[in-house]
Amino acid sequence: MRKEISIRITGEAGQGIVSVGNMLCRMYKDTGRHVFAIQDYMSRIRGGNNFFQVRAAAEPVAAPRACADIVMALDREAVSANQGALAPGGALVLDAEEYGIPALEPGWRSVPLHALARDAGGSIYVNAVALGVLAAMTGEGLEPAGAAIAKEFAGKGREVIGKNLAAARAGFEHAAKQLKDCAYSLPKGTGGAPYLLSGNDAAALGAIAAGCKFYTAYPMSPATGIMNTVADYAARYGIIVEQAEDEIAAVNMAVGAGFAGIRAMTGTSGGGFALMCEGVSLAAMTETPLVVAVVMRPGPATGFPTRTEQGDLDFVLSAGHGEFARAVYAPGSPEEAFRVVKRAFNTAEKHQLPVLILSDQYLAESYVNTARPDLQAEAPDRGLLLGAESDPEAERYAHAPGGVSPRLIPGRSRALAVADSDEHGTAGHITELAEVRIRMTQKRLHAKAEALAGEVLAPTVYKPGSRVMLCGFGSTLGLLREAAGARADTGFVHYSQVWPFPAEATRSALGGSEKAATVENNASGQLARLIRRETGIGLAGSLLKYDGRPFNIDEVSAWLDKEGR
Amino acid sequence: MRKEISIRITGEAGQGIVSVGNMLCRMYKDTGRHVFAIQDYMSRIRGGNNFFQVRAAAEPVAAPRACADIVMALDREAVSANQGALAPGGALVLDAEEYGIPALEPGWRSVPLHALARDAGGSIYVNAVALGVLAAMTGEGLEPAGAAIAKEFAGKGREVIGKNLAAARAGFEHAAKQLKDCAYSLPKGTGGAPYLLSGNDAAALGAIAAGCKFYTAYPMSPATGIMNTVADYAARYGIIVEQAEDEIAAVNMAVGAGFAGIRAMTGTSGGGFALMCEGVSLAAMTETPLVVAVVMRPGPATGFPTRTEQGDLDFVLSAGHGEFARAVYAPGSPEEAFRVVKRAFNTAEKHQLPVLILSDQYLAESYVNTARPDLQAEAPDRGLLLGAESDPEAERYAHAPGGVSPRLIPGRSRALAVADSDEHGTAGHITELAEVRIRMTQKRLHAKAEALAGEVLAPTVYKPGSRVMLCGFGSTLGLLREAAGARADTGFVHYSQVWPFPAEATRSALGGSEKAATVENNASGQLARLIRRETGIGLAGSLLKYDGRPFNIDEVSAWLDKEGR
Amino acid sequence: MSGSKDFHSADPVTWCPGCGNFGIQAALQSALTELGRDPRDILLVSGIGQAAKMPHYVRANFFNGLHGRALPAAAAAKIANRGLTVIVTTGDGDCYGEGGNHFLHNIRRNLDMTVIVYDNQIYGLTKGQASPTSAPGLKTRIQPAGVILEPFRPLAVALALDCGFVARGYAADKEHLAGLILAGMRHKGFALIDTLQPCVSFNKVNTYAWYSKRIYKLGPEHDPADRAAAMIKAEEWGDRIPTGIIYEKVRPSYEDLSGLEDIPPLVDAPVGGIDIAPAFEDFR
Amino acid sequence: MSGSKDFHSADPVTWCPGCGNFGIQAALQSALTELGRDPRDILLVSGIGQAAKMPHYVRANFFNGLHGRALPAAAAAKIANRGLTVIVTTGDGDCYGEGGNHFLHNIRRNLDMTVIVYDNQIYGLTKGQASPTSAPGLKTRIQPAGVILEPFRPLAVALALDCGFVARGYAADKEHLAGLILAGMRHKGFALIDTLQPCVSFNKVNTYAWYSKRIYKLGPEHDPADRAAAMIKAEEWGDRIPTGIIYEKVRPSYEDLSGLEDIPPLVDAPVGGIDIAPAFEDFR
Ligand SMILES: Cc1ncc(C[n+]2csc(CCOP(=O)(O)OP(=O)(O)O)c2C)c(N)n1
Ligand SMILES: Cc1ncc(C[n+]2csc(CCOP(=O)(O)OP(=O)(O)O)c2C)c(N)n1
Ligand code: SF4
Ligand code: SF4
Ligand SMILES: [Mg+2]
Ligand SMILES: [Mg+2]
C-alpha cells in the first residue's frame, strides 16, 4: 500500500469541481486520513480548465505534490491540460467516447462518466460519478463517498442527494468491475483532525471568535471568501457585514467602526489594498485599531485574479504615507490563521494601530484537515478603554507608556471621544507646533514599535543552525515543514509575524548554518532583502516561484538536491 | 561687513509675507548676491503666524540658517512666535505702538510700520513698508527695492505699484533716519544666477520643456504649485491642465494619456499618492510611461499639510502591489528638479514604466537663485515607437531586449495598440498560462530593472572616503554641500536617484570612511535602512529631524561637532 | 464641563474673518442645543477642508478623518452605535469631489445621519481651485480661462437617488439654517443639507451680496412631499435660489432593514466569551 | 488584417454560454461596421469585470485598465487624441460602484465618448455579489437576507447632471441596441447607454424571461428633448421598462470648451524642440 495519494479532479468551470473536491476530502478525512487540497481555477465562471487536487495520507500533509496519482478529467480539454501532471504509474481517467479521444496513452483509462451521469439524471452529476469511480479506485467503500454526498448537499433536499448518490453508485460499480487492476488504496489512518478548513474560513472564524462585529469589504478574489464565511454566521453572531462601494469606503468604515468602539475588519487583495493605503495611515494617525486581511494574488494591476503569489510583502510593510508603527502577521496554515486573526484584534486594540494580515490565494483557498484549535488562546484583550466612570477631562492622546493613551468611546466614555487626521495635541485638536509633532511621532512610531517588538510571535524554528536553513513566511509553513522534515541536514525558520521583524530570533536560528535561503512565492526575494536589512545577514540564495502557482513539495526537494549541498 | 545675512519676515496669513519675501529675494539677487529662502506657513488662509526667511550672501547658499539677523514682525503674534529665532546681535523690528508692546527687549527696534502703511494707503501696504525698512537696514538703496516692487506687481497696474513704492519709501526713509545704527550690509556679489526658482517651479518648467502635454492632478499641498506653474504656461505651450475629481482619476488619466501617446504627468503629496498606488501598478503592468511627482509633507494621514518631511521614501520604493521595475528620482535643488523631470519623461518612455519623483515641501517651496540650466540636457528620447509604416501585426508585448517592446499608438501606429491590466500574452490578451506569466514577469521586473540600473544617475559624491561621510537624498543637497564644505574631514554622498539604488557607487564613496551617517528629514532613518539592505553597509548613525521643519545648517554643524569626531 | 450641554469649544477658530462658516457654526450649535442631547451622544464627522475643521469648533465627540472620506467613517460609527446622533460637516470638494462615490452610495445606504455640506463652490483650504459646484467661467490659477465643466448638482442627484431629506440652507441665515439642521437630525435617514457658504477669500462670485439678491425661502406653497416640484426647486438657480426643505419622504432606514434595530447597539455587545465551537462543527 | 474594417477578434471568449454580453458584442460590432471607421481609429476602454473583457473580443485598439477606472483612462486618451472614437465598455459594478465618482465627473466633463454599461445588476466575474443596481431583496452569499440598499439609478443621476445623451438598451435586442450605440457615437459628448444584460449564472431575478415581459421601445411619442418626460422615463421600472434614447441635448463638449479643437491633436504635437527659454525669463 502507498503512504499517500494525490488525486486531481479537473474539468471546466461549472462542472462542480470544487464540490467533488470537497467531498473527496471529507471521504478521506472522515476515515482517519490526513488531507490537503489546493484549488486551481481561472478567472471565468463557465468553461476553461480548473482543477482541485487532493493529497491524502496516513501522516499529516500540508503541501501539494507536483503530480497526481489519479487525474480525473471531466471534459476533453481537461485531458490535454492535465496529462502532464500525471505521476509515473498513475492513472488518467477520462471518457474517451464523450471526448472523442480514440487512442488512449499508457496509464489512461476510459470510463463512460458522462453516460453514467446522464443515466443518473443529467450531465451535472458527472462529478458524483467521478467521486464513485475514485472511491472504487482507491479501495474505499461506497459508504464514505455517500456520507460525503449527504453532507455536501445537506441543504439541497432529498432529491438532489438521491441523484448524486445514484450517480456515485454507478461510477463506483463501473470502476469496481472495470478498473479492478487500479490499486491506489491507502492504509487507514488515525487522523483525528476533524475540521476541513481553508485559510479564508479559518480567518473568518477567527474574526467571529474575536468578537468582530463589523466586517466590511469590496468583493475581490481571493479575499471574498472571508466575507462569505463571516456573512454565513452574521445573523447568528450579531455581526453586520457590509459590502462597501469601494475599498476606500471599506477601510474608512472599518476605521470609523473601530473609533466608535467595536471590533471591525476589512479584507482585500493587493489591488484593493493599494486603495486602502491612505486609510491605513489614517488608522495610525488617529490611533484607531484596524485589522486588514491582505490576501495576495499575482500582480501588478489585475494580474492573475484567481492565482497565488507572495509578492506584496514589501508593499505591505511600508504601505501608507508617513511613519508609524504597525504589526504584520503572516499565518502559515488555517490553524495559524484562526489564531493570528484573533491575536490581530488584540494587537490592534492594545496598541491602537493598524494590523495587517498577509495571506495569499494558496493559503486562503487550500483545505487542510485541522484539529480543533485551542479556543481559549488569544482571549480578547481590548487594551485601555475609559468607561462611563472615567475622568471627564481625559485627553484622548495623552502621552503614556508604550504610546498608548486609554481609548474613549463616543457615547460610552465620560469624556468626549475625538480623533484627528491632522497632527494634533493631546486633546486631539489641530496643531502646528514642532514640539508637539516630535512627541506625537515618538508616540505613534517609536514608543509603539518598541512595545510591539516585545510581543512579536516567535518564528517557528525547526532544527536551528542546521547546515541548510530554509526561511519563509505565510503560506509556505507546511511546505517548509515537510521539506526540512525529510532531510537530516535541513531546518527552517518560518515567520507568522513579519513585522516588527524578529531579528534576534533570526540570528540565532541561522547562526551556524552554512546555507540559508528563502523560499518565496515571488520573483524578487523580498524576504531575503528584509532579512538582510533587519539583521545584516546576507543569505546564500532564494528559491523563487512566480508563475501564479503554489510551490509543491517535489520541486522544493529537487531544488534542495541540487542547491542544498 | 558680514558675509551673509538672514532676514525673517513674519506675520499672519494674508499680510503678504510671500510677496515681500519674493521682493527681498529679487532685491538681493539683482544686485549680484546669492539668495536662498524658505517658507514656513500654517494650513489656514488668514491669521496665525507664517514666515519667509531669506538668506543672502556673496557666496552661493542653499540651506537656511537656524536664526535670522533681522526678524521683521508684521503683527503682534509674530513677535512672540519668532523672538526665539533672532540671531545674537540681530535686530527684531516691530511696531510697538500698534502691537501694544511697551517694553522692548535688547535688540528689538520699533518702527511705526502700520502707521506708515496707513499713510501710504492702508494696512495692506505694511509689507512694502517692511521692504523699505529692510532696504535701509541692510544698506541697500531704495532703487533695488523699487525694482523688485515693479516686478512683483507688474500685472497689477500703476496705482498698485505706486502705492507700494510710496510705502517702501516711507519705510526706507524712516529707517534711514531712525535705525542708522543698524549695520547689516552685505558686500556686493558677483552673483550671476539670475533665476529665482522654487523646486515646484523648476519641476513645472522641466515638464513643459520635456514636452508634457497633459498635466492632471487633484489639488494637494505642497504639490499644487507644480500644477499652478504648468497652468500658467498651458495656453502658451499647448498643454491641457485638467483638475481631476480625485487622485485616482488623476493617475488613471495620466496612464490613459500615456497610452494614447502623449507625455503626461501627475503630482501629489503622500496622502494623494497613497490613492495612486494601484495606478502606479497599472502603469507597470500595461508598460505605459507614467511620471508622478510625490511632494512629501509630514504624515501620517493629513499630518502637517504645509510643512516638510522625507518620510515617504520606503513607501514610494515599494508602492503598488505586485513586482515591477520602477525608477525613483530625488532631485536636490531646483536646478536638479528641472533636469530630473526632463529625464523622468525619457526614462518613463524608454523603459515604459512608472517613474516617481520624490520632492518635499522644503524643496518645492524654497527659492534659490539659479543659473540658466543647460537647456539641451536630457533631450527628449521617446524610446521605441512604431509609426504608421510599421508591421501591421506587431505585438505590443513582444519579448525584446531590456524588456522593452516598441510602443504602439492608437490611431497612429499601423498595428492596433492594446494594453491589459490582467496578465497577458505578447498580443495583450488575457492569459492564464504559467509560462507566459514567468516570461512577462521577467520582462517587467528583471529585464527592465537591469536596463534601468545601467542608467542610474550617479550620486553626487564630495570627498569620497572622508573620515566622516554624510548621506542624503532629495532636498538636502545644499545642506550637505555646505556642511561638508566647511569641514576638512567631511564628505557627502547625495542621491538624486534612489532607485535603482546605486550600490557600487555607494560602496566606493563610503569605503575608507570612519563614520558614515545619513541626514534625513524623517524619524526612522529610511535611507540608512535602504543602504544597509542594498549594500550590506551598516552606517554609524543618522541625524534625523521630524518636527515638520527643514534642517538648518547650524544644527547640522552642531551635530557634526558633537557626533562627527 | 464634559456632560454639560454646552456646545462651545475652546479650540481657536482658524477661519478667515467674515467666512460663511461662522454662520453655519452658530446654526449648528443652536440646533444641537434645541435638540437637547448631551454632547456625549453627538458625533461630528468630517473630512478635510475648511468646512471639515468644524468639529474642532463645536463641542461634541468628533472624528476628523481623511479628505473625502467623512461619510464612510460616519456610516460605520452609526452602525457601531445607533444611539449616536451623527452629523457630518463636509465641504463641496470633500463630499462631491474626492468623496463623490460615498455620497452616492450613502444616500442609498440611508443610515440616520445629517450631512451638512458647506458649499462655497471653491476649494478653500487649498487656496482657491474650482470645486465640483463652481460656476462655469470662474477663473482660478488652475483654470485661468475659467471653469469649463458643468457644475455638479447635489440636490438633483440626491433626488434622483430618492434621498429622503433634501434641503438647501444659507450660511448667513442662521436661524433658518438651524431649523433645517434640526429637521435633518429629526428625519430618520440620510439628510442632506447643501448649505451655500460665502468664501470671502477665494470666491469672488458667490458673495454675500450675490446671494442676498437671489436667496429666498420656500414657503408653505412648496410641498416637500411632491417629488416633481422638488426636482424643479432643486434645479432652480440663477436669479432666484430657493432655500428650505426641498424634499422629504420617510424611507426605511438601514438600521430598520439590517436588523440593527432589533439588537442592542453593537458597541454594547460583549467582545469576550463568544462561543465559536458550534460554528466549527459546520466544517467537519 | 489590421487595417481591414473587420471587428472580429480572434481571442477566445470566456463568458458563460447564454450570457447577455454576446448580444452586446454583436450590437457593438454592427454599430462599428455601420460607423465605417477603421479599427485603428476606434479605442475601446474598459475596467475589470465580465463586461470589461469586451475589448478583447472586438477588434480595435483597446485599453483594459483597472476595475472602476475605465472612464478616467478613456477621458485622457480622448484628450490626447481627439480623433479617436472612444467607447467605454464597463459593468454596473465597474462604472457605478468602484467607479462611481468618475461617472459623475465625466458626465460633467462631457468629452465625446460613448459609455456602454453592461448592467446585469450583479457582480458577475467575482461570483455574484450585489451590484449598485441590484434589486432590493436579491439574496447573495454576502446578503443572505437580501439586498437592503436602494438601487442606484444611473439614468436619473445622469439626467440630474444634464448628461447630453441618456439611453437604455437591452442586450437581447441587438438591432435596437446597435442603433443606440451608433447614435451614441454620433452624439458629440458623453453618451450613456445603460444596457440591461441578463447574467445567466448569477442573476436569477432579471432573466431574459423577466425582461421580455417588461421591455418596450420608446416610440416617436417620446421626445428625447423633453427633460421632464425623460425624467419620468428614466425612472420607469417594474412592469414596464422603456428602452431607447431617453434624453438627448447638444451641450458644448470638453473639446470645444478647452480649446482642444483649435489645435492639432495633442498626440501630433512635437515632443522635442520646445523652447523653454522665454518661460525662464519670467523667473528673473
Ligand atoms: C487625499 C487628499 N487629497 C487632497 C487633499 C488636499 N485638500 C485638503 S482640503 C481640500 C479641498 C477642500 O475643499 P472643500 O471640501 O470644498 O473645503 P473648503 O476648504 O472649501 O471648505 C483638498 C483638495 C487632501 N488633504 N487629501
Ligand atoms: C480594486 C479592485 N477591487 C475589486 C476587484 C474585483 N472585481 C473584479 S470585477 C468586479 C466586479 C464586476 O462587476 P461588474 O462591473 O458589474 O461586471 P460584471 O462581471 O458583472 O460584468 C470586482 C469587484 C478588482 N479587480 N479590483
Ligand atoms: S478660505 Fe474661504 S472657506 Fe476658508 S476660511 Fe477663508 S473664507 Fe472661509
Ligand atoms: S457570470 Fe454572468 S455576466 Fe459573467 S459571463 Fe457568466 S452569464 Fe455573463
Ligand atoms: Mg469648498
Ligand atoms: Mg455587473
Side-chain angles (χ1 to χ4, degrees), chain D residues 49-51 90-94 117-125 129 131-133 197 199:
Chain D
Q50 300 286 20
T90 175
D92 43 337
D94 207 35
V117 185
Y118 301 42
D119 190 352
N120 55 6
Q121 290 133 281
I122 204 83
Y123 282 10
L125 188 59
Q129 300 81 19
S131 91
T133 53
Q197 173 235 324
C199 164

Side-chain angles (χ1 to χ4, degrees), chain A residues 225-236:
Chain A
I226 303 176
M227 179 155 58
N228 285 340
T229 302
V230 176
D232 291 345
Y233 291 95
R236 224 199 281 177

Side-chain angles (χ1 to χ4, degrees), chain C residues 46-263:
Chain C
S46 71
I48 293 295
Q50 300 285 23
K53 289 180 183 170
M54 183 67 88
H56 295 274
Y57 310 145
V58 174
R59 199 176 138 271
N61 300 292
F62 71 82
F63 185 88
N64 180 179
L66 295 173
H67 181 53
R69 316 303 169 188
L71 288 176
K78 182 72 185 176
I79 289 172
N81 184 351
R82 59 178 167 78
L84 296 171
T85 294
V86 175
I87 298 159
V88 175
T89 66
T90 175
D92 43 337
D94 207 36
C95 192
Y96 308 141
E98 183 89 48
N101 207 31
H102 314 307
F103 177 67
L104 299 180
H105 295 284
N106 281 295
I107 292 177
R108 297 179 52 223
R109 212 164 257 131
N110 201 31
L111 279 145
D112 184 12
M113 55 170 79
T114 305
V115 180
I116 312 173
V117 184
Y118 301 42
D119 190 352
N120 55 5
Q121 291 134 278
I122 204 81
Y123 281 10
L125 188 58
T126 49
K127 304 196 173 168
Q129 300 81 20
S131 91
T133 52
S134 290
L138 180 85
K139 290 190 170 59
T140 79
R141 180 97 187 257
I142 313 263
Q143 289 91 9
V147 168
I148 62 170
L149 271 63
E150 270 294 301
F152 183 69
R153 305 180 182 192
L155 303 181
V157 169
L159 269 174
L161 293 170
D162 212 25
C163 178
F165 186 100
V166 180
R168 174 175 277 142
Y170 177 41
D173 191 344
K174 295 173 217 177
E175 217 172 307
H176 182 246
L177 179 58
L180 293 179
I181 296 174
L182 194 63
M185 293 189 298
R186 287 182 174 151
H187 173 83
K188 175 124 197 247
F190 187 100
L192 171 68
I193 308 173
D194 183 80
T195 302
L196 301 170
Q197 172 236 323
C199 164
V200 296
S201 291
F202 295 114
N203 189 331
K204 308 294 182 187
V205 175
N206 312 101
T207 59
Y208 288 103
W210 190 90
Y211 280 123
S212 67
K213 275 192 241 131
R214 293 166 167 84
I215 293 262
Y216 72 97
K217 293 195 191 73
L218 289 170
E221 75 293 346
H222 176 70
D223 175 8
D226 178 344
R227 193 146 173 279
M231 196 45 107
I232 291 167
K233 288 298 164 195
E235 301 206 327
E236 190 174 330
W237 186 265
D239 288 347
R240 306 252 304 146
I241 301 175
T243 59
I245 301 178
I246 287 175
Y247 184 64
E248 183 161 16
K249 168 183 168 183
V250 181
R251 273 172 47 187
S253 69
Y254 183 98
E255 295 90 318
D256 294 336
L257 295 169
S258 65
L260 265 180
E261 219 120 83
D262 308 329
I263 53 174

Side-chain angles (χ1 to χ4, degrees), chain B residues 128-395:
Chain B
V129 172
L131 181 70
V133 171
L134 290 167
M137 288 176 77
T138 60
E140 308 293 318
L142 185 55
E143 244 156 76
I149 287 174
K151 168 108 199 172
E152 179 75 12
F153 298 107
K156 300 273 165 89
R158 288 207 174 186
E159 203 195 317
V160 173
I161 296 181
K163 291 205 168 160
N164 275 286
L165 282 175
R169 174 167 308 114
F172 184 87
E173 286 170 358
H174 181 96
K177 267 184 251 155
Q178 306 296 327
L179 303 179
K180 264 201 214 107
D181 57 317
C182 287
Y184 293 100
S185 50
L186 267 186
K188 299 272 171 230
T190 50
Y195 303 112
L196 189 66
L197 288 179
S198 71
N200 272 349
D201 289 334
L205 292 173
I208 299 167
C212 174
K213 286 288 167 271
F214 185 57
Y215 191 95
T216 179
Y218 188 76
M220 185 162 198
S221 310
T224 309
I226 303 177
M227 179 154 55
N228 286 341
T229 302
V230 177
D232 291 345
Y233 292 95
R236 223 199 282 178
Y237 287 93
I239 299 167
I240 294 287
V241 173
E242 181 61 14
Q243 185 178 322
E245 57 271 29
D246 56 33
E247 288 85 352
I248 303 173
V251 72
N252 281 277
M253 283 204 272
V255 173
F259 165 77
I262 63 175
R263 289 189 154 191
M265 178 171 174
T266 183
T268 184
S269 189
F273 184 69
L275 294 167
M276 292 188 182
C277 292
E278 196 195 13
V280 170
S281 181
L282 172 70
M285 186 54 138
T286 56
E287 305 190 39
T288 308
L290 171 67
V291 176
V292 185
V294 184
V295 187
M296 295 179 282
R297 68 192 215 188
T302 310
F304 265 162
T306 60
R307 304 194 179 277
T308 202
E309 193 163 274
Q310 297 185 300
D312 296 331
L313 174 64
D314 271 357
F315 180 35
V316 161
L317 289 176
S318 60
H321 57 296
E323 296 172 287
F324 52 86
R326 79 189 73 203
V328 182
Y329 294 103
S333 65
E335 192 184 342
E336 283 198 1
F338 175 76
R339 183 169 180 158
V340 149
V341 170
K342 287 182 76 179
R343 187 178 181 90
F345 280 97
N346 289 346
T347 304
E349 287 206 319
K350 278 162 60 185
H351 300 279
Q352 303 178 14
L353 40 63
V355 176
L356 311 171
I357 300 164
L358 266 180
S359 171
D360 56 28
Q361 186 269 336
Y362 168 49
L363 172 62
E365 301 188 333
S366 60
Y367 293 91
V368 62
N369 69 313
T370 300
R372 176 141 101 186
D374 173 4
L375 300 181
Q376 305 315 315
E378 310 292 351
D381 177 349
R382 305 204 65 185
L384 301 174
L385 278 176
L386 293 183
E389 305 303 307
S390 54
D391 175 4
E393 301 297 333
E395 289 191 324

Side-chain angles (χ1 to χ4, degrees), chain D:
Chain D
M1 258 296 268
S2 203
S4 93
K5 290 189 179 165
D6 175 8
F7 293 97
H8 173 83
S9 159
D11 194 40
V13 175
T14 63
W15 294 319
C16 309
C19 176
N21 287 351
F22 289 100
I24 309 183
Q25 178 192 21
L28 176 56
Q29 284 170 327
S30 92
L32 285 170
T33 304
E34 179 75 20
L35 184 71
R37 295 198 77 190
D38 191 294
R40 288 178 301 191
D41 296 320
I42 309 291
L43 173 62
L44 304 177
V45 181
S46 71
I48 293 295
Q50 300 286 20
K53 289 180 183 171
M54 182 67 88
H56 295 275
Y57 309 146
V58 173
R59 199 175 140 272
N61 299 293
F62 71 83
F63 185 88
N64 181 178
L66 295 173
H67 180 53
R69 315 303 169 187
L71 288 178
K78 182 72 185 175
I79 289 172
N81 185 351
R82 60 179 166 77
L84 296 171
T85 294
V86 174
I87 298 158
V88 175
T89 66
T90 175
D92 43 337
D94 207 35
C95 193
Y96 308 142
E98 184 89 47
N101 206 30
H102 314 305
F103 178 66
L104 299 179
H105 295 284
N106 280 294
I107 292 177
R108 296 180 53 223
R109 212 164 257 132
N110 201 32
L111 278 146
D112 184 13
M113 56 170 80
T114 306
V115 180
I116 311 172
V117 185
Y118 301 42
D119 190 352
N120 55 6
Q121 290 133 281
I122 204 83
Y123 282 10
L125 188 59
T126 49
K127 301 194 174 171
Q129 300 81 19
S131 91
T133 53
S134 291
L138 180 85
K139 290 190 168 64
T140 79
R141 180 95 185 259
I142 312 263
Q143 290 89 10
V147 169
I148 63 171
L149 270 61
E150 270 294 300
F152 182 69
R153 304 180 184 192
L155 303 182
V157 169
L159 270 173
L161 293 171
D162 210 25
C163 178
F165 186 100
V166 180
R168 175 175 275 143
Y170 177 42
D173 191 343
K174 295 173 218 177
E175 217 172 309
H176 182 246
L177 179 59
L180 293 178
I181 295 173
L182 194 62
M185 293 190 298
R186 287 182 175 153
H187 174 84
K188 175 125 197 246
F190 188 100
L192 172 68
I193 308 171
D194 184 80
T195 302
L196 301 170
Q197 173 235 324
C199 164
V200 297
S201 290
F202 294 113
N203 188 331
K204 308 294 183 188
V205 175
N206 311 101
T207 59
Y208 288 103
W210 190 90
Y211 280 123
S212 68
K213 277 193 239 126
R214 292 167 168 84
I215 293 263
Y216 73 97
K217 292 194 193 68
L218 288 170
E221 76 292 350
H222 176 70
D223 174 9
D226 178 345
R227 193 146 173 277
M231 196 45 107
I232 291 168
K233 287 299 165 194
E235 300 206 327
E236 189 173 328
W237 187 265
D239 289 347
R240 307 253 305 146
I241 301 175
T243 58
I245 300 177
I246 288 176
Y247 184 66
E248 183 162 15
K249 167 183 169 181
V250 181
R251 271 172 50 188
S253 69
Y254 183 97
E255 294 90 319
D256 294 337
L257 295 169
S258 65
L260 265 180
E261 220 120 82
D262 308 328
I263 53 173
L266 296 180
V267 69
D268 297 325
V271 160
I274 287 167
D275 185 10
I276 194 70
F280 264 92
E281 294 313 303
D282 297 338
F283 291 85
R284 280 204 175 257

